[in-house]
Amino acid sequence: MTSLPIVGAAMTLSDVETHRNWLLEKPRDLELQSFVEAEVLNGDWQPLAERARKLLDGHEGRLGIHGPFWGFVIASQDPEIRAVVSKRLLQALDVCANIGATQMVIHSPYTSWSYNNLDNNKGEREKIIEYTHLTLKDAVKRAEDIGLTMVIENIEDKDPHIRVGLADSFNSPAVAVSIDTGHAHYAHGYTGAPPVDYYVHAAGNRLQHVHLQDADGYADRHWSLGEGNIHWRAVFAALAKLNNNPRLIIEIKDKSKIPASAAYLASLGLAE
C-alpha cells in the first residue's frame, strides 16, 4: 500500500482512446481538452459528450475539462467582450454538467506587464478584480449550482500570491487556484519570478489543480517530465504539505509520453 499521490493527465478524447488502460488502471484524474474551441462550444457538442461518457465507463478518477481561453481574457474592460467570454464559459459549464465534470480550468488575467503596472495606474488592482467578477458572475453561480470548481491557472503571473487573492475575492467554493509548473518555471527563468515550489506554497490549500509539464525556463515547452530542469522534488515536497488533494494533471505536448512521465515521477518516489 502506498501513500504517494496518483497523477492523472490532460487528454483529448482521441488520447483517452490511446491511453484508456493506463487511465483506468488506477483512480487517475482526467482533464478533457476536447471542449476548448469556440467552434465546438457553439456547435453540436452532444456527440462528443456521448463519446466521452462511453470512453470513461469504469473511470474512477475525478473528471474535469479545460475551459475555453483562445482569443480573450477574463478581465476585459469592454462589456461586449465580457459578454462573449461569459457565454463561452457558460457553454463549457453546460458540457461539464452533461458529462459529470466537477472542475474547469480557466486562465489568469494577470500578465508580466500588469505586474509592473498594477501600482503605476491608480486603482488598477481593484479594476482587474472588478472586471473579472463582472465576467465570471453568471459562471460562478452556474458552477455553484452544479457542484463544480473553476480553477484559475497562472499564465504569465510573476506574483504567485495575486491569483490566490483573486480566487479568495469570490468567497465561493466554485473558484479556486491552479498552477501550471511550466508557466511558473518560465516566469522564474524569464521574468525573475520565484521558483515553482513557491507558487505551491503561496496557493496553499486553495490549490485544487496542477498542470505538470517540464520546461527549461525559456518557453512554454510542455515537455515530458524529466526532460527539462524543473526541481520536481521541491515541487512535490511543497505539495506534500497541503491538507487537500489537488488534481495532479500531466499536460505535455507528446501525449505518447504520458505513461513515461508518470513512470519518471514514480522512479523518484514522488507519485504513481
Side-chain angles (χ1 to χ4, degrees):
M1 192 70 180
T2 176
S3 60
L4 293 176
I6 298 173
V7 296
M11 306 184 199
T12 65
L13 289 172
S14 295
D15 299 322
V16 172
E17 288 181 337
T18 300
H19 295 295
R20 190 172 184 274
N21 289 339
W22 176 85
L23 184 65
L24 270 59
E25 71 182 8
K26 300 177 186 293
R28 299 189 186 277
D29 296 331
L30 172 65
E31 179 190 315
L32 280 177
Q33 299 194 324
S34 294
F35 301 96
V36 172
E37 305 290 342
E39 292 81 1
V40 172
L41 296 175
N42 265 338
D44 180 11
W45 47 260
Q46 293 283 351
L48 280 178
E50 176 63 22
R51 182 183 172 197
R53 289 193 298 272
K54 288 181 178 178
L55 279 172
L56 295 177
D57 183 31
H59 176 238
E60 296 181 351
R62 296 170 290 184
L63 177 61
I65 74 167
H66 199 304
F69 64 91
W70 291 113
F72 63 69
V73 295
I74 63 172
S76 176
Q77 298 182 42
D78 189 324
E80 293 187 30
I81 292 176
R82 292 200 301 269
V84 171
V85 176
S86 177
K87 175 185 176 181
R88 290 284 176 269
L89 295 175
L90 289 170
Q91 288 173 323
L93 289 169
D94 285 343
V95 172
C96 291
N98 186 286
I99 65 175
T102 55
Q103 194 175 80
M104 183 169 80
V105 179
I106 61 176
H107 280 186
S108 170
Y110 295 105
T111 67
S112 54
W113 168 272
S114 64
Y115 177 83
N116 291 320
N117 285 283
L118 284 174
D119 297 318
N120 185 40
N121 301 309
K122 185 177 180 181
E124 190 68 20
R125 290 178 181 270
E126 293 76 14
K127 285 179 182 177
I128 290 180
I129 293 174
E130 177 188 356
Y131 295 142
T132 302
H133 275 253
L134 289 171
T135 304
L136 297 185
K137 177 179 62 175
D138 293 340
V140 169
K141 177 62 168 62
R142 174 73 166 137
E144 290 173 345
D145 289 343
I146 65 175
L148 178 140
T149 302
M150 293 185 291
V151 288
I152 307 174
E153 174 188 3
N154 59 307
I155 305 302
E156 296 182 43
D157 304 53
K158 184 175 178 179
D159 178 354
H161 294 276
I162 196 165
R163 199 173 68 271
V164 183
L166 176 62
D168 285 342
S169 72
F170 284 89
N171 192 30
S172 170
V175 185
V177 175
S178 166
I179 291 172
D180 185 297
T181 58
H183 297 171
H185 195 50
Y186 164 81
H188 174 56
Y190 201 68
T191 70
V196 180
D197 56 302
Y198 277 61
Y199 283 74
V200 178
H201 290 303
N205 288 314
R206 295 291 285 153
L207 181 63
Q208 294 195 21
H209 173 276
V210 181
H211 274 153
L212 300 170
Q213 57 142 316
D214 218 334
D216 59 359
Y218 180 77
D220 190 22
R221 300 293 201 177
H222 286 272
W223 283 336
S224 180
L225 308 191
E227 292 182 351
N229 54 20
I230 289 179
H231 299 295
W232 291 111
R233 293 188 187 279
V235 172
F236 277 82
L239 289 169
K241 294 181 180 179
L242 304 181
N243 296 322
N244 60 340
N245 182 26
R247 305 182 194 193
L248 305 178
I249 303 293
I250 296 169
E251 190 193 38
I252 57 177
K253 286 183 178 179
D254 187 347
K255 304 300 186 186
S256 70
K257 294 183 177 180
I258 287 174
S261 286
Y264 173 74
L265 292 177
S267 73
L268 297 179
L270 300 177
E272 59 178 291

